[in-house]
Amino acid sequence: MLKDKEELLHQARLTANKMRKNILLMTHRAKGGHPGGCLSATDLLAVLYKCFMRIDPQKPNWPGRDYFFLSKGHSVPALYAILIEMGFLSEGEVEDFREMEGRLPAYPSCEDTPGIDMASGSLGQGLSVANGAALAAKLNGTDQRAYVLLGDGELHEGQIWEAAMTAAHYKLNNVCAIVDYNKLQLDGSVEEVKSLGDLKAKWESFNWHVLEIDGHDYEQIYQAFVEAEQYRKGPSVLIAHTVKGKGVSFMEGEAGWHCAAPTDEELTKALKELSRVC
Amino acid sequence: MLIAPREAYAQTLVELGTENKDIVVLDADVAKASMTVLFQEKFPDRFFDLGISESDLICTGAGFAVAGKLPFVNAYANFLLGNGWEQIRLSICYANKNVKIIGHNIGASSGKDGPTHFSLEDIALMRVLPRMTVVEPADGLEMKKAVRAIAEHVGPVYLRVGREATPVVTQAEDEFELGKANIVRQGRDLTIVACGVMVAKAVAAAEELTAAGIEAEIINMHTIKPLDRDTLLQSVQKTGAVVTAEEHSVIGGLGSAVAEFLACSRPVPLRIIGSPDKFGICGTYEQIHQAFGLTAERIAQAAKEVLEQKKP
């Protein structure tokens, strides 16, 4: 079992490296997108998809699937990148990001893209959607799980806290929220724009099981997903401390990379850095 | 005979609940007013009260639809669509989810609760959304058919449900098909296009007009979107004049939908009867209708105006 885990995490690391390259290729080619918040969430998505999600690329709408909702829709290149690695999309489709043709619009569209169950782009809605899918699974008596990735700035949205109450009230132990806590949003640092205060205490006071982790530490990510699944009393949230732009030295911790495409030169430099890692 | 649309809605929902186990009902702390409490009593496992959080309600409904359920989400129309509009736009319409949005206490049917609780803008808010079907049955009898029809229809639907008991003007044997208007009464002189409780008032107006030698054709446009253009055009080609009537603002509702179509296809003299572009007041349902001019008399008067205008 342990060996399996090590092998899985090794695969997840390789996957994350490929994802990072594709995220940069997509945003570079499209001359747009949000690479910073994609790179901060990459390791979380790689572990979730490679180790936990029960899905079938041959049957994206398989009724027994686990659900993943990207509530922070602007990070969709990271989602496309993992869907390429999982076989839902093909490698060549990175060229279609934000293009009129193809299946990779600027924000998630469930109509266009296999493996995506819900559109997003307007922030604050994904946790409610996850609750709905999780309630349906409960009603059906299945053990399907609903995962949702939230941005830290997104937590300003009131609907998140409406949904947090709903999940706790209905004791949705099949809901797992992940906060990509990279501390930066469009206008600057989250602390300066509107502080989240004691985020752990906030979720705990809403009766959530809170797991605070380093969102780039594969052991911690893996363990947190296991513990979230094992916790039976209600919903779990992973507060994942991350670094915006993680993996590309000149992008790390820079709010400017929330919404900016790399130039030719920056792309070359970034890809070179990533090639040294794997 | 009088039937409250909400009662007809809730009773039919209970019937459907027996027939279709995928139906789930969500409410936002108004289950007694919406009468979805009837469904709750029969199917407690498939009823979810999310409390006073309409945005959450809409998206939770969308999540149920992702998982293959058939959700009916209920709240007072004004709060549901006002608080949840962007959620409806993205998570239901753009995402193309099979969710039934049920707006209660539509129009002025909140009565003495007053303007904060009225819903006179809801048709406009829903009609502008791509993929949305907008339905307002003429009476409680037609409501029962409409609830079944929207459950069958795959795609987003907005259903307007009134609180007060209103006259039954349709017949049990009348067919009901989404997007297919029903001709309530034939006539040669002008066309009255109405929805909801205003169909009954149109019938009363037509009787008044007959006494004056004017024969009005009445179209019950129970589906406001997609508008039944064929039935409308056929009637207007015959009559050459139109009056619309709805329990909704004169801006953006049935009248606007009819005007948008006819202005491009067959411009004819037209009057739009609806609530004026201002907020309402507290009062009984009937008092407010009088104050807004949502009356048979006003329809009849408008009919005479368009007839005057169409004279060569």
Side-chain angles (χ1 to χ4, degrees):
Chain A
M1 190 65 193
L2 203 60
K3 199 180 170 193
D4 281 353
K5 177 184 152 191
E6 276 163 20
E7 175 57 26
L8 279 171
L9 291 185
H10 177 64
Q11 289 302 325
R13 282 190 187 90
L14 296 177
T15 297
N17 188 263
K18 286 194 209 155
M19 285 169 67
R20 286 195 160 91
K21 289 173 183 162
N22 276 337
I23 288 163
L24 294 165
L25 287 168
M26 275 184 255
T27 50
H28 168 262
R29 191 177 187 286
K31 296 187 172 64
H34 303 74
C38 291
L39 295 168
S40 61
T42 296
D43 298 316
L44 296 161
L45 287 180
V47 175
L48 176 62
Y49 271 82
K50 291 306 270 190
C51 307
F52 295 95
M53 288 283 285
R54 293 165 296 181
I55 45 177
D56 182 353
Q58 301 310 314
K59 286 183 281 182
N61 297 322
W62 169 48
R65 68 191 179 281
D66 287 330
Y67 300 103
F68 173 76
F69 301 104
L70 182 71
S71 197
K72 47 173 294 196
H74 52 279
S75 294
V76 74
L79 181 54
Y80 294 148
I82 190 64
L83 290 175
I84 287 170
E85 297 308 313
M86 303 305 289
F88 287 84
L89 299 171
S90 66
E91 187 80 36
E93 290 188 84
V94 294
E95 297 191 357
D96 297 340
F97 178 53
R98 286 180 168 239
E99 292 295 328
M100 190 178 275
E101 305 296 327
R103 310 189 285 182
L104 273 58
Y107 288 84
S109 156
C110 48
E111 288 265 278
D112 292 325
T113 321
I116 297 185
D117 277 319
M118 180 49 76
S120 58
S122 171
L123 295 168
Q125 302 187 18
L127 184 53
S128 304
V129 175
N131 289 343
L135 282 164
K138 293 271 180 201
L139 208 50
N140 291 339
T142 69
D143 67 349
Q144 285 162 279
R145 295 182 60 72
Y147 296 93
V148 56
L149 183 68
L150 308 170
D152 45 9
E154 184 183 12
L155 302 183
H156 293 156
E157 292 278 5
Q159 190 185 341
I160 293 289
W161 304 100
E162 295 180 8
M165 276 188 268
T166 299
H169 180 81
Y170 284 97
K171 298 185 169 53
L172 296 179
N173 55 16
N174 53 348
V175 166
C176 179
I178 306 146
V179 178
D180 179 12
Y181 200 2
N182 61 33
K183 321 290 187 298
L184 296 172
Q185 59 189 107
L186 190 55
D187 276 353
S189 82
V190 178
E191 191 57 34
E192 282 168 2
V193 174
K194 187 153 80 175
S195 173
L196 297 175
D198 187 341
L199 193 54
K200 184 163 189 272
K202 276 195 172 67
W203 284 99
E204 280 175 346
S205 75
F206 277 74
N207 283 327
W208 279 62
H209 173 225
V210 182
L211 295 145
E212 201 165 6
I213 58 166
D214 174 344
H216 303 300
D217 181 315
Y218 280 65
E219 286 287 342
Q220 285 189 34
I221 300 169
Y222 184 92
Q223 191 57 31
F225 280 126
V226 169
E227 284 178 30
E229 198 166 335
Q230 285 169 348
Y231 185 77
R232 303 316 298 161
K233 290 182 192 163
S236 293
V237 56
L238 276 57
I239 298 178
H241 292 276
T242 57
V243 175
K244 201 147 199 161
K246 177 71 178 179
V248 179
S249 61
F250 58 91
M251 290 186 175
E252 288 189 1
E254 294 291 334
W257 286 104
H258 175 88
C259 181
T263 61
D264 294 350
E265 200 176 62
E266 287 163 340
L267 176 72
T268 308
K269 196 176 164 200
L271 291 178
K272 206 167 158 186
E273 281 186 24
L274 288 166
S275 297
R276 277 204 296 270
V277 182
C278 280
Chain B
M1 184 174 53
L2 298 173
I3 300 179
R6 59 173 173 160
E7 201 173 341
Y9 161 72
Q11 285 167 350
T12 313
L13 200 57
V14 171
E15 290 168 21
L16 285 172
T18 309
E19 296 163 24
N20 184 347
K21 301 294 178 204
D22 283 333
I23 289 180
V24 293
V25 174
L26 287 73
D27 206 308
D29 197 36
V30 291
K32 291 187 186 76
S34 70
M35 296 185 71
T36 60
V37 68
L38 298 180
F39 188 93
Q40 181 182 21
E41 283 162 4
K42 191 85 185 282
F43 308 105
D45 294 349
R46 286 192 273 144
F47 178 85
F48 302 90
D49 200 327
L50 294 202
I52 308 158
S53 49
E54 291 82 7
S55 309
D56 185 40
L57 185 79
I58 292 290
C59 291
T60 308
F64 269 110
V66 167
K69 298 294 180 190
L70 179 54
F72 281 66
V73 299
N74 300 264
Y76 287 176
N78 178 39
F79 307 134
L80 184 62
L81 309 189
N83 285 314
W85 187 83
E86 215 291 317
Q87 287 74 3
I88 295 170
R89 176 180 181 270
L90 176 76
S91 290
I92 296 182
C93 289
Y94 180 59
N96 205 8
K97 298 303 177 196
N98 191 19
V99 179
K100 311 307 163 188
I101 301 157
I102 317 298
H104 292 271
N105 284 18
I106 54 102
S109 67
S110 288
K112 288 191 171 180
D113 276 342
T116 59
H117 284 53
F118 289 174
S119 187
L120 297 161
E121 308 88 359
D122 54 323
I123 296 177
L125 286 173
M126 292 296 100
R127 197 169 71 82
V128 73
L129 293 174
R131 291 181 176 144
M132 185 62 87
T133 294
V134 180
V135 181
E136 184 181 6
D139 58 29
L141 190 59
E142 191 169 71
M143 175 63 74
K144 294 183 176 190
K145 298 172 190 170
V147 177
R148 287 187 170 273
I150 66 168
E152 287 289 319
H153 174 80
V154 178
V157 175
Y158 172 57
L159 176 69
R160 290 189 105 202
V161 180
R163 180 188 182 92
E164 298 283 329
T166 54
V168 172
V169 288
T170 63
Q171 310 293 323
E173 62 272 19
D174 289 348
E175 285 189 20
F176 184 91
E177 189 185 332
L178 287 177
K180 182 82 188 79
N182 291 350
I183 296 186
V184 177
R185 182 187 197 281
Q186 302 212 336
R188 60 174 191 271
D189 297 323
L190 82 149
T191 304
I192 304 176
V193 187
C195 62
V197 66
M198 297 309 288
V199 175
K201 299 195 182 195
V203 170
E207 283 162 11
E208 192 183 319
L209 289 166
T210 301
I214 299 164
E215 290 304 326
E217 180 147 297
I218 300 176
I219 297 177
N220 167 13
M221 194 65 79
H222 52 68
T223 308
I224 297 144
K225 187 185 177 188
L227 194 73
D228 182 354
R229 297 170 169 197
D230 292 344
T231 301
L232 180 59
L233 192 59
Q234 223 166 16
S235 179
V236 172
Q237 275 168 345
K238 177 173 67 177
T239 63
V242 175
V243 173
T244 69
E246 65 202 292
E247 191 185 2
H248 181 274
S249 169
V250 291
I251 298 172
L254 172 67
S256 297
V258 168
E260 286 158 15
F261 171 61
L262 290 179
C264 301
S265 307
R266 184 164 176 107
V268 293
L270 173 81
R271 291 289 182 280
I272 295 173
I273 307 295
S275 62
D277 181 25
K278 61 181 187 186
F279 289 104
I281 40 167
C282 298
T284 66
Y285 191 46
E286 198 42 50
Q287 280 174 332
I288 296 156
H289 273 228
Q290 287 289 341
F292 280 163
L294 301 174
T295 61
E297 296 74 40
R298 178 73 191 92
I299 296 172
Q301 184 197 336
K304 288 171 187 167
E305 288 168 19
V306 290
L307 285 180
E308 191 61 34
Q309 201 181 337
K310 90 166 174 179
K311 278 183 186 166

